[in-house]
Amino acid sequence: MKNKIWFITGASKGLGLALVKQLLQQGYRVAATSRNLQDLTKAVGNKSDAFLPLAVDLKNEKSVEKGIHETIAHFGAIDVVVNNAGYGLTGSLEELSDEEVRQNFDINVFGVLNVIRKVLPYMRKQKSGHFFNIASIGGFTGSFPGFGSYISTKFAMHGFSESLAAEVKPFGITVSIVSPGYFRTDFLDASSLAVPKNEIADYKLVREAQHAHQNDINHNQPGDPVKAAAVMIEVAEQKQPPLHVFLGRDAYQLAEAKIKAVQHDMAAIKELATSTDHDQ
């Protein structure tokens, strides 16, 4: 049996499920959460010495705290946390209501922060731990029309994860921001991708992007979630795991294009933009 104990949210499907299955096959001990316990046990199996399925509402701090406490009671520790739960939301920023955007942030941002907040006391005490915060390539480059809300939640994750990495380094805790490209999961199905309640006809480009993701891209994504899970397990075993983990060739291409674009813009006005100090 492998030593590290994993705690994974959003584990009943997609990358989370692929990760749980692979970890259990390799002899790790895993606690996994889902909103629906029946879906989780149907996908993975019932509670055992190596597997602890948990029904957790990430928006509820007490529910999160209970799930973490049960994991510690069952396994004695938590070594690796995978903040994987989240959902997509399409729609232009003008179309989306305040309620729709806030619900997106409640799960994708504040739900993750709830897990981090409740598990850190245990990790600080044991002087070790590793967070995998599952963002998206859309959290690094935002040029996807109709995904402004979802992308902003993932940009937020990139930001707070970088700060978290600096804050917890003195305690021997590491952070990896995982930015997948397009992987063949059910993320673009209706169960994981919400659409605006009130569409505006003028946003033809947004509707085209929405239609493409729901129909053309869905289940034709190039990435294999089983291979992505294998990468994460290998990264978790490294002595110095990287902060930024881009997954997939498409993610690398998009990230490199963003970096070049930023460098181009910086160079274009460098002399003007750096002439702002008092001594100049």
Side-chain angles (χ1 to χ4, degrees), residues 39-62:
D39 289 346
L40 183 58
T41 55
K42 182 179 178 181
V44 182
N46 294 317
K47 179 179 176 181
S48 67
D49 290 341
F51 177 58
L52 179 64
L54 298 163
V56 173
D57 177 4
L58 296 178
K59 295 184 293 182
N60 186 314
E61 280 192 285
K62 291 187 181 299

Side-chain angles (χ1 to χ4, degrees), residues 134-144 150-159 162 177-181 243-247 250-263:
I134 311 299
S136 165
I137 187 57
F140 188 78
T141 178
S143 54
F144 297 89
Y150 172 74
I151 282 171
S152 64
T153 67
K154 296 306 182 180
F155 262 78
M157 180 178 278
H158 271 256
E162 289 186 2
I177 309 163
V178 182
S179 300
L243 174 58
H244 295 282
V245 178
F246 292 96
L247 285 179
D250 56 346
Y252 265 76
Q253 290 167 355
L254 288 164
E256 288 164 356
K258 167 68 178 283
I259 292 166
K260 288 180 181 178
V262 171
Q263 289 175 329

Side-chain angles (χ1 to χ4, degrees), residues 194-241:
V195 298
K197 295 175 183 176
N198 299 302
E199 295 181 355
I200 298 174
D202 286 347
Y203 283 101
K204 295 179 181 179
L205 180 63
V206 170
R207 291 290 83 74
E208 289 171 3
Q210 181 179 319
H211 182 273
H213 280 82
Q214 290 174 312
N215 298 282
D216 303 329
I217 298 172
N218 193 20
H219 298 298
N220 291 307
Q221 299 97 323
D224 182 345
V226 174
K227 292 181 178 179
V231 170
M232 290 176 59
I233 294 169
E234 188 169 333
V235 168
E237 294 297 337
Q238 294 178 350
K239 290 184 178 179
Q240 293 182 317

Side-chain angles (χ1 to χ4, degrees), residues 156-185:
M157 180 178 278
H158 271 256
F160 71 65
S161 295
E162 289 186 2
S163 289
L164 176 66
E167 292 168 359
V168 299
K169 186 177 180 180
F171 307 114
I173 302 167
T174 55
V175 178
S176 292
I177 309 163
V178 182
S179 300
Y182 287 100
F183 278 81
R184 200 167 299 177
T185 68

